[in-house]
Amino acid sequence: MPAETIDDVIHTLDEIIDWAWNQKSRTGYFAALYRRVTQSVKDGISQGRFQNGPLLEKLDVVFANRYLQAVEQFRAGQQSTLSWQVAFQTASHWYPLVVQQLLGGMNAHINLDLGIAAAVCSPGEQIAGLQTDFNEINAVLAAEVGTVEQEIAEVSPWIALLEKFGLREETKIINFSLTKARDCAWSEAVKMAALSTSQMQTAINDLDLRVLMLGRLVVSPPLWIKLQLFPIRVREDNNIRRVLDVLAKKTATVTAPV
């Protein structure tokens, strides 16, 4: 069943993380990151950080349900959006760095899902009333960046080479700006909010194709970039459960034989 509250979202994310831990699936990496961000948004709502808390919770739930549905489709062997398919397929491959796994999910969820969710929650002229709180979420997310970077370094000790050799700027797999992504999502939301249901579906399909192309570049860049990233990947922790524990900062409940 779709989540109806932000607490439902957090509960379902916990279930996905536990499932991934038991299955030793890298699919849980993004879920672990997403859970902590969702908790931060929940805290911000309870602290009165946003102008319209109820509307922002509605946005959070509609936004999250797009991801939760995609996970359910993936686990059932069904087809999800193209952007999420490439992100989930990456989880079965050894090569992509932990940060690439995370960025693959962020690409699908922010560049595709966020604008759609905002347009659904605030159709037509209502979209203007959402902008201030939409932008405030950037500050909430920024507060998580430092902690997440430290945790990635814990499981990927040579990740600093991205800075040392200039790879963060030279490669698009790391040159992923959360602020720019959210700005693009807002632009898409404004355009979609003015569309009819049938027009919006066409716009979603077109956007999905564009986001898919970026997703492929993020998780599977050209060979010369992969070769430069290889030393970082070799030094990364291959224990999927440990990586999940570090990213989630929680202990999973074993529900299946190991």
Side-chain angles (χ1 to χ4, degrees):
M1 295 293 293
E4 296 183 357
T5 67
I6 200 166
D7 284 329
D8 290 342
V9 172
I10 292 173
H11 175 71
T12 305
L13 289 171
D14 282 337
E15 291 182 337
I16 293 172
I17 295 167
D18 285 347
W19 169 84
W21 195 94
N22 283 291
Q23 298 296 317
K24 299 181 182 178
S25 172
R26 293 181 179 87
T27 305
Y29 290 176
F30 178 76
L33 172 65
Y34 192 29
R35 187 202 185 281
R36 70 192 308 153
V37 170
T38 303
Q39 183 64 53
S40 293
V41 172
K42 177 187 175 182
D43 293 342
I45 293 173
S46 64
Q47 294 162 7
R49 185 166 183 169
F50 303 101
Q51 291 183 351
N52 190 333
L55 177 59
L56 199 64
E57 177 166 2
K58 179 182 178 182
L59 171 61
D60 187 276
V61 172
V62 172
F63 180 39
N65 274 327
R66 289 193 59 86
Y67 165 66
L68 299 179
Q69 180 184 33
V71 173
E72 187 63 28
Q73 289 170 330
F74 165 71
R75 295 197 295 189
Q78 300 171 352
Q79 183 172 333
S80 60
T81 56
L82 300 175
S83 303
W84 273 118
Q85 283 184 56
V86 71
F88 292 141
Q89 289 166 0
T90 302
S92 64
H93 299 154
W94 174 88
Y95 194 93
L97 307 178
V98 172
V99 70
Q100 286 175 275
Q101 301 275 354
L102 295 176
L103 291 177
M106 290 168 65
N107 173 64
H109 204 36
I110 297 175
N111 286 327
L112 176 66
D113 292 341
L114 184 54
I116 298 169
V120 168
C121 289
S122 299
E125 296 181 356
Q126 297 176 43
I127 193 69
L130 181 62
Q131 186 170 15
T132 298
D133 282 344
F134 187 96
N135 291 335
E136 180 62 23
I137 293 180
N138 283 335
V140 174
L141 298 179
E144 295 291 333
V145 171
T147 301
V148 172
E149 288 183 345
Q150 291 176 5
E151 291 173 355
I152 291 176
E154 185 177 339
V155 297
S156 184
W158 281 14
I159 196 69
L161 290 180
L162 291 173
E163 296 285 359
K164 184 175 181 180
F165 298 130
L167 293 176
R168 184 181 294 274
E169 297 301 325
E170 292 179 5
T171 72
K172 292 192 175 183
I173 66 149
I174 305 303
N175 191 15
F176 182 97
S177 169
L178 183 59
T179 300
K180 289 181 180 178
R182 292 185 64 83
D183 286 346
C184 289
W186 177 253
S187 177
E188 294 294 339
V190 171
K191 289 186 290 186
M192 290 187 186
L195 301 178
S196 66
T197 301
S198 60
Q199 290 173 328
M200 181 180 287
Q201 188 56 56
T202 299
I204 289 172
N205 293 339
D206 291 343
L207 179 59
D208 190 22
L209 286 172
R210 300 199 303 272
V211 176
L212 167 66
M213 299 305 293
L214 177 58
R216 285 176 173 169
L217 183 60
V218 167
V219 301
S220 184
L223 179 59
W224 69 271
I225 294 178
K226 289 183 177 180
L227 293 175
Q228 293 181 77
L229 297 175
F230 185 72
I232 301 174
R233 179 62 188 92
V234 169
R235 289 287 290 123
E236 281 194 341
D237 196 329
N238 289 310
N239 187 325
I240 294 174
R241 288 176 172 174
R242 178 173 182 271
V243 175
L244 278 169
D245 288 343
V246 169
L247 292 176
K249 290 301 182 187
K250 66 188 289 294
T251 301
T253 302
V254 179
T255 57
V258 297

